[in-house]
Amino acid sequence: MLELKNLSYRYSHAERAALDDVSLAVPRGCVMGLLGPNGAGKTTLISHLSGALAVQSGEILIDGQPLEHVRAKAPTRIAVAPQDQAFYPMLTVAENLACFAAAGGLAGARKKARIDACTRFSQLEQFAGVRAERLSGGLKRRLNLAIALLPEPELMLFDEPTVGVDPQSRAFILDAIKSLAEQGAAVIYASHYMEEIEAIADRVAILDHGRVLREGSLDQLLSKSAMLLTLAADGLDADKLSRFGTVEPGGVHWRVHLHEGTGPGLVLQALESEGIDVRHAEFGRHDLEQLFMALTHRSLRD
């Protein structure tokens, strides 16, 4: 449904590109999880898809047609549920929905049916008469969601939609987003929360410095990742372990991302031959957080 081909973008006066040769495909019925540290390019990517930024280089296609043509003909095929509040605080829930339904070209019986359906879907019935500014954080997110769903979009964009909400509201929003994909929508979900991506994403793209570092199903990503060996022993140091892979020094435990073809038995045998008594050894593949940290080199981002 959605295809990005070699998409690049550089803000004026920026030293480097915010997006650098990004290519992705998202079919209908799929949740694509976008992961990346601050400044990775997630919001810039979503801004392109929502029409807030024009394409500088590359292509964005919807069902094989350029995005700008699709948006000119049917702008409501794509909807955004942003991190920030996207409604009028002084209006009630019902008034906001009526306002945005009209802005989306809905009228008459169709308008009423969509307002009723989105109110039910977001479980906002009992808050219809409440001014939006008086809603809790979780309810405000649900109102954002209801507004975005009014025109029955085919492509849904979510940019950190659960920041600052309570666990119950987070679980509701994630379940709702998954159900949208099950009903046939294509969904892009940008988040810092690994557990959210693992819970709902069919495919995952890890971005950093505007480039796609890894993309695929969760199983594919983790199966391609380096094997991780965690060790605790006296006398360990980076020099002894670096020949086997990339080393993360720790206090008690050392983590070694093993080179391809290097198994844990080889490492343990070599350490034993050097007189090192290993007290603890744990072996397995990365989880998503470990893969993310390894790819982005664990550095803090502003």
Side-chain angles (χ1 to χ4, degrees):
M1 190 269 180
L2 169 68
E3 188 174 10
L4 281 67
K5 293 183 176 181
N6 310 112
L7 186 66
S8 297
Y9 188 86
R10 184 189 298 271
Y11 292 99
S12 60
H13 309 300
E15 293 183 2
R16 62 186 178 195
L19 295 176
D20 187 2
D21 199 34
V22 171
S23 295
L24 293 171
V26 186
R28 283 179 172 80
C30 173
V31 178
M32 169 68 80
L34 287 184
L35 280 173
N38 291 332
K42 303 187 301 298
T43 298
T44 300
L45 178 56
I46 288 178
S47 296
H48 274 81
L49 298 174
S50 66
L53 288 175
V55 174
Q56 286 181 346
S57 177
E59 293 182 283
I60 302 176
L61 304 176
I62 303 290
D63 290 331
Q65 298 297 313
L67 175 66
E68 60 269 24
H69 295 173
V70 173
R71 290 190 57 81
K73 184 182 294 186
T76 57
R77 289 182 67 184
I78 303 169
V80 185
Q83 181 181 148
D84 298 324
Q85 297 176 12
F87 48 76
Y88 294 104
M90 296 296 289
L91 299 183
T92 66
V93 167
E95 289 167 343
N96 267 290
L97 290 170
C99 176
F100 283 96
L106 300 175
R110 169 74 173 155
K111 175 182 175 183
K112 182 180 185 306
R114 289 305 302 155
I115 290 174
D116 291 345
C118 293
T119 302
R120 287 194 304 272
F121 183 84
S122 301
Q123 297 185 15
L124 290 170
E125 298 96 327
Q126 69 187 89
F127 304 100
V130 179
R131 277 168 43 175
E133 65 184 355
R134 296 178 179 172
L135 298 174
S136 67
L139 289 172
K140 288 175 179 176
R141 302 289 184 188
R142 283 154 58 182
L143 178 55
N144 268 1
L145 175 63
I147 290 170
L149 294 177
L150 284 167
E152 292 187 284
E154 300 171 50
L155 173 62
M156 290 289 305
L157 311 173
F158 293 91
D159 189 8
E160 307 281 356
T162 62
V163 171
V165 305
D166 60 272
Q168 290 81 3
S169 293
R170 174 176 285 120
F172 173 85
I173 291 169
L174 294 178
D175 288 343
I177 291 171
K178 188 66 176 177
S179 74
L180 294 174
E182 291 169 351
Q183 295 168 30
V187 176
I188 291 185
Y189 187 90
S191 178
H192 287 295
Y193 299 119
M194 309 290 169
E195 68 276 11
E196 292 185 359
I197 298 294
E198 290 181 292
I200 68 169
D202 302 296
R203 300 185 68 80
V204 179
I206 299 177
L207 278 69
D208 198 13
H209 301 304
R211 299 186 66 87
V212 177
L213 302 182
R214 294 282 178 85
E215 189 274 330
S217 71
L218 188 60
D219 286 342
Q220 289 172 332
L221 292 184
L222 299 185
S223 67
K224 292 178 182 178
S225 67
M227 303 296 273
L228 181 66
L229 177 62
T230 304
L231 298 167
D234 295 329
L236 283 181
D237 57 42
D239 289 337
K240 288 185 173 66
L241 296 174
S242 59
R243 54 187 154 148
F244 304 111
T246 303
V247 180
E248 291 183 27
V252 176
H253 294 92
W254 291 74
R255 290 152 55 101
V256 187
H257 305 277
L258 298 179
H259 295 313
E260 186 174 352
T262 300
L266 178 65
V267 180
L268 296 174
Q269 184 178 13
L271 294 177
E272 183 180 2
S273 68
E274 295 177 23
I276 295 176
D277 183 23
V278 176
R279 301 190 306 274
H280 171 87
E282 183 178 336
F283 179 64
R285 296 189 184 276
H286 289 302
D287 60 26
L288 184 58
E289 182 173 3
Q290 291 165 343
L291 175 61
F292 176 81
M293 297 297 279
L295 288 174
T296 58
H297 307 295
R298 303 177 64 91
S299 57
L300 291 174
R301 310 294 169 83
D302 295 326

